[in-house]
Amino acid sequence: MADANSALVFYHFGGVDQLLLAALDRSGSERMAMYREVAARANTLEELVEAAMHIYRTDLERGYITEFSELVAAAVTKPELRREIRARSEPWIAFIEQEWNRVLAGSALGRLLPAREVAYGAITFYLGVNLFSVLDEDHSRTEAVFDLAAGLAPRARLLTLRLPRRDRDVGSPPDEKEEGA
């Protein structure tokens, strides 16, 4: 906003906070479309971790982390921003929840770690990474967390196997189940 006319900002957006929220809305829509495609390619826990790493690195590289961090920092002293930012995080929570369920529903891990809570954890981690990225200039600490997740994901493979659904007749041969459907 270095060369922005403050009168025009107030005229068009009602203030700097509203301008920043509008920028977050625009980038959020673009990012959601892009990241839905990235996440849709994931079919295993390992691939979900890879997708999360890709999302983090892209957001860091393109400045989205800074954009979000600055708004959250402003919300510390401006309570009216909290509700706005929280509302804008809901589609991301739903996105994470949906992808977790798509890949892991029906598995022991999916039952052990409910999607909504995983989504809250992911958003909380992302927010922490956003703020910590300012202090962790070489990003080595955040990369170490992703490396840990990438190392744990293959070890959880048995927990990610899908269990038979309870509403099916597990004892019937597959052909009989399909014919009766």
Side-chain angles (χ1 to χ4, degrees):
M1 251 180 57
D3 294 327
N5 179 323
S6 59
L8 287 176
V9 168
F10 280 91
Y11 176 77
H12 288 288
F13 296 97
V16 174
D17 293 341
Q18 290 76 16
L19 171 64
L20 293 174
L21 288 168
L24 183 62
D25 289 342
R26 182 176 179 166
S27 68
S29 295
E30 293 168 358
R31 289 172 51 238
M32 184 65 80
M34 181 172 49
Y35 296 151
R36 281 196 186 284
E37 290 180 24
V38 169
R41 293 189 292 264
N43 294 308
T44 65
L45 179 60
E46 294 95 319
E47 291 169 347
L48 276 179
V49 170
E50 288 174 21
M53 291 167 64
H54 173 81
I55 289 168
Y56 160 73
R57 289 178 182 142
T58 301
D59 279 1
L60 182 64
E61 183 180 295
R62 295 185 181 180
Y64 298 132
I65 285 182
T66 302
E67 176 186 56
F68 188 68
S69 296
E70 289 176 0
L71 271 169
V72 170
V76 170
T77 58
K78 297 179 180 180
E80 63 277 6
L81 278 177
R82 294 175 194 165
R83 181 177 54 255
E84 298 293 335
I85 294 168
R86 197 169 42 249
R88 285 162 174 83
S89 69
E90 281 303 319
W92 293 97
I93 291 169
F95 166 65
I96 296 165
E97 186 176 10
Q98 174 188 348
E99 292 304 316
W100 182 263
N101 278 331
R102 182 182 63 77
V103 174
L104 295 163
S107 72
L109 188 60
R111 287 186 174 98
L112 181 64
L113 300 174
R116 190 76 172 170
E117 286 75 11
V118 168
Y120 290 152
I123 291 294
T124 301
F125 172 76
Y126 188 82
L127 178 59
V129 165
N130 283 337
L131 297 174
F132 197 68
S133 68
V134 174
L135 304 174
D136 186 21
E137 293 177 12
D138 69 353
H139 311 292
S140 61
R141 291 168 185 91
T142 302
E143 289 295 329
V145 173
F146 279 117
D147 290 345
L148 177 65
L152 289 174
R155 290 173 173 84
R157 187 157 304 174
L158 285 176
L159 293 174
T160 63
L161 297 175
R162 292 184 188 260
L163 303 174
R165 289 179 36 179
R166 290 191 173 126
D167 61 339
R168 292 187 199 159
D169 182 3
V170 179
S172 300
D175 292 341
E176 290 177 30
K177 283 186 231 172
E178 291 174 15
E179 289 173 14

